[in-house]
Amino acid sequence: MTDPSPPISTAAADTMWLTRRIEKLKQCFALCGIINSTLDLPEVLDRIMRTSRQALGAETSSLLLVDETPGPGRGELVFQVAQGPMSDSLRQGFRLKRGEGLAGWVCENGRPLLIEDAYADERFNPEVDRRTGYRTKTILTFPLAVRGRVIGVSQLINKEDGSPFDAADLEMFTLICDQAAVAIDNARLHTEMLKKQRMEFDMELAANVQQGFLPRRVPDVVGLDVAGASRSCDETGGDYYDFIVRDGQDGSPGQMVVVVGDVTGHGIPAALLMASVRAFLRSRFLAPGDVGQVLDDVNRLLAEDLGMTGRFMTLFALEVDVATRSIRWVRAGHDPALVHDPALGVFCELGGKGIPLGIDGKWMYPCESMDSLTPGWVIVLGTDGIWEARNPGGVMYGKERLRKIVRARADCRAVDIVDAVMGDVETFRRGLPRRDDETVVVIKVGERGVEHEKNHAAGGSVCGHISVGMRR
């Protein structure tokens, strides 16, 4: 009896093969579109595995990514997604060393593997099968690579119809994995961009908050002209200056305190430490005690907070008695204040001994003092970002150049002297970015009365008696 079905011609067979191939390619492109339709990394990984299983009729699928974080596990493969009967065993976070098993081999060599019989391949590790009771038969493993760099491995195990994976499956899996690698890379870049945007927003917010910590206005104290400015080398900085007025017994200004500080490091940690010191100082200055006692208490609190972190803050605190014009100051590891007497053309420094705040909570800060201020004096407090600024030739700005600016502007207002110093440092750097925060505060001493003028004319400069390096 003859077969009633006519034989299929070669042309018809080719047409059927091309039709199936086109349909497969259409399906593949549609699946790639699904994979690339999101930038959420966990969703991208889940879609890669789900679409791969559906497209190739696989029982189990898994995706591993290379651990690129610094540390002992760098370069290892980490399971991110596992679907199918073995998904519970291949839990998220399970690791393979580079070169271990079929996935490790593919990652190490950057080439795919089409294994028809897993147990016939010596690279196959049957440990998971022994642990789970699952029987691995055929495996398709493909490297996920971007710009020539393997970032992970995708793997399919066993076909639902029981047949082994073949070359056509590998071809389709190749197309999916190539698109998947790009999708993973894009999702990672998107995640990093979002992190950067959040960080920039947080830094901008922190910078705005920190700027709010700096004095909004200069205290109105008769006979004293005060100004200050601070510029950070980053969005947030560790430099600090403040003006604090302590009330007298009658409610009028009793003392004006000027502080300038410099926290180790830069960025958010330095800004947080600066904010803590500001809060401690302002709170403590509300209570009785001279400037030395204030710093004793602040230092004790700060040392408790900082512990063994290695962080600290240098500070110079100067207190002026408004009525007597006597001054007291404490130097906590900070550079001395610079004093210029334009009448005699000399400079001197307000020195003293003291370690930075936060190092030793038991340290007691000695308080230096001077009986009177002379009208015309210019007192300059700053941070080392000023005199340690460098030009393109590597030369430091230095304190001598600072003295020249102060000497040349001694007759100007305090704010003009501050502007002149900051402008000259900017000019000196000649376009180089700041390497450190830059802060300067100027106190210009005004007239006090006829009697003091007579004493000044007769006795010369008190500055000469406290100088630790008088210069003309």
Side-chain angles (χ1 to χ4, degrees):
M1 186 174 180
T2 60
D3 187 352
S5 301
I8 300 176
S9 65
T10 302
D14 290 344
T15 300
M16 291 175 61
W17 180 83
L18 287 173
T19 300
R20 286 196 299 268
R21 182 174 174 79
I22 291 172
E23 289 300 320
K24 280 285 187 182
L25 289 175
K26 285 181 179 180
Q27 182 186 14
C28 182
F29 292 142
L31 294 174
C32 290
I34 294 173
I35 292 172
N36 285 280
S37 63
T38 180
L39 287 171
D40 180 69
L41 183 57
E43 181 66 20
V44 167
L45 300 179
D46 185 72
R47 289 185 182 186
I48 291 170
M49 291 295 89
R50 188 169 65 251
T51 55
S52 298
R53 285 181 65 205
Q54 292 173 354
L56 283 85
E59 289 182 353
T60 299
S61 64
S62 61
L63 190 147
L64 306 86
L65 292 180
V66 176
D67 186 353
E68 297 180 346
T69 57
R74 186 182 181 94
E76 293 181 352
L77 284 170
V78 184
F79 277 92
Q80 303 292 327
V81 179
Q83 298 178 352
M86 295 174 61
S87 58
D88 291 338
S89 301
L90 301 176
R91 63 189 183 281
Q92 187 177 18
F94 186 82
R95 287 175 172 266
L96 289 176
K97 289 185 173 18
R98 204 175 184 94
E100 181 182 357
L102 295 177
W105 188 93
V106 167
C107 181
E108 184 75 23
N109 293 273
R111 300 201 310 269
L113 283 178
L114 172 58
I115 308 295
E116 294 184 3
D117 183 358
Y119 281 82
D121 194 301
E122 62 182 10
R123 293 166 297 190
F124 174 67
N125 183 357
E127 179 60 31
V128 176
D129 279 11
R130 284 196 292 267
R131 201 166 64 231
T132 62
Y134 184 82
R135 177 72 179 183
T136 300
K137 302 173 183 176
T138 178
I139 301 178
L140 194 56
T141 310
F142 199 90
L144 303 172
V146 178
R147 294 180 290 276
R149 178 174 59 90
V150 176
I151 62 172
V153 172
S154 185
Q155 193 170 62
L156 299 178
I157 300 175
N158 293 354
K159 296 190 72 171
E160 293 175 338
D161 62 6
S163 64
F165 291 110
D166 56 25
D169 294 325
L170 176 60
E171 182 181 36
M172 189 169 188
F173 197 41
T174 299
L175 291 174
I176 294 175
C177 287
D178 285 344
Q179 288 296 310
V182 174
I184 291 172
D185 192 51
N186 288 340
R188 281 177 163 178
L189 291 175
H190 180 68
T191 301
E192 290 301 316
M193 182 187 69
L194 292 178
K195 287 181 180 179
K196 182 180 178 184
Q197 287 178 346
R198 284 194 293 268
M199 179 64 73
E200 289 175 348
F201 175 78
D202 290 344
M203 291 294 285
E204 183 179 357
L205 181 61
N208 290 335
V209 172
Q210 188 181 27
Q211 285 299 313
F213 290 155
L214 298 178
R216 295 179 180 274
R217 61 182 183 84
V218 177
D220 186 12
V221 178
V222 176
L224 294 177
D225 179 18
V226 184
S230 183
R231 296 171 181 167
S232 300
C233 65
D234 299 320
E235 288 86 351
T236 57
D239 275 10
Y240 161 64
Y241 78 93
D242 205 356
F243 308 131
I244 304 169
V245 176
R246 308 179 79 180
D247 292 336
Q249 294 182 350
D250 59 354
S252 61
Q255 299 91 32
M256 187 187 74
V257 183
V258 178
V259 292
V260 171
D262 186 358
V263 176
T264 53
H266 306 286
I268 295 294
L272 291 174
L273 179 53
M274 183 273 276
S276 297
V277 173
R278 176 184 183 273
F280 288 156
L281 282 171
R282 282 185 162 255
S283 176
R284 179 57 183 85
F285 270 119
L286 293 174
D290 64 32
V291 66
Q293 293 170 326
V294 169
L295 262 63
D296 289 344
D297 293 340
V298 170
N299 175 62
R300 185 173 61 255
L301 293 172
L302 201 59
E304 292 176 359
D305 285 351
L306 295 179
M308 302 299 292
T309 63
R311 304 189 70 83
F312 57 85
M313 180 179 191
T314 66
L315 190 85
F316 193 100
L318 174 68
E319 183 182 70
V320 182
D321 188 286
V322 176
T324 65
R325 294 299 180 88
S326 61
I327 62 173
R328 290 177 291 189
W329 70 90
V330 172
R331 179 181 170 229
H334 202 80
D335 278 80
L338 185 67
V339 181
H340 176 52
D341 185 346
L344 298 179
V346 297
F347 282 91
C348 61
E349 293 180 341
L350 302 181
K353 295 181 179 179
I355 64 174
L357 301 174
I359 294 179
D360 181 0
K362 297 179 180 179
W363 183 270
M364 306 297 287
Y365 288 89
C367 187
E368 311 293 336
S369 64
M370 183 194 302
D371 290 338
S372 61
L373 293 175
T374 300
W377 276 11
V378 180
I379 304 175
V380 181
L381 294 78
T383 58
D384 55 12
I386 297 290
W387 41 86
E388 292 182 3
R390 294 181 182 271
N391 65 12
V395 179
M396 283 203 304
Y397 184 82
K399 290 189 177 181
E400 187 56 43
R401 181 158 176 159
L402 174 62
R403 292 186 181 95
K404 289 180 180 178
I405 294 296
V406 173
R407 182 186 294 114
R409 301 292 197 284
D411 293 336
C412 300
R413 298 177 305 163
V415 66
D416 296 327
I417 299 173
V418 168
D419 290 343
V421 170
M422 299 300 264
D424 192 57
V425 173
E426 195 77 24
T427 300
F428 179 80
R429 283 203 314 271
R430 299 209 298 270
L432 285 183
R434 297 183 190 90
R435 300 173 59 181
D436 198 358
D437 305 328
E438 299 168 354
T439 300
V440 64
V441 173
V442 172
I443 306 169
K444 185 81 177 292
V445 182
E447 297 293 332
R448 197 179 84 172
V450 176
E451 184 62 30
H452 186 82
E453 284 297 299
K454 290 179 180 178
N455 292 339
H456 178 61
S461 174
V462 179
C463 187
H465 298 292
I466 64 165
S467 172
V468 293
M470 187 183 299
R471 297 168 185 256
R472 291 188 179 273

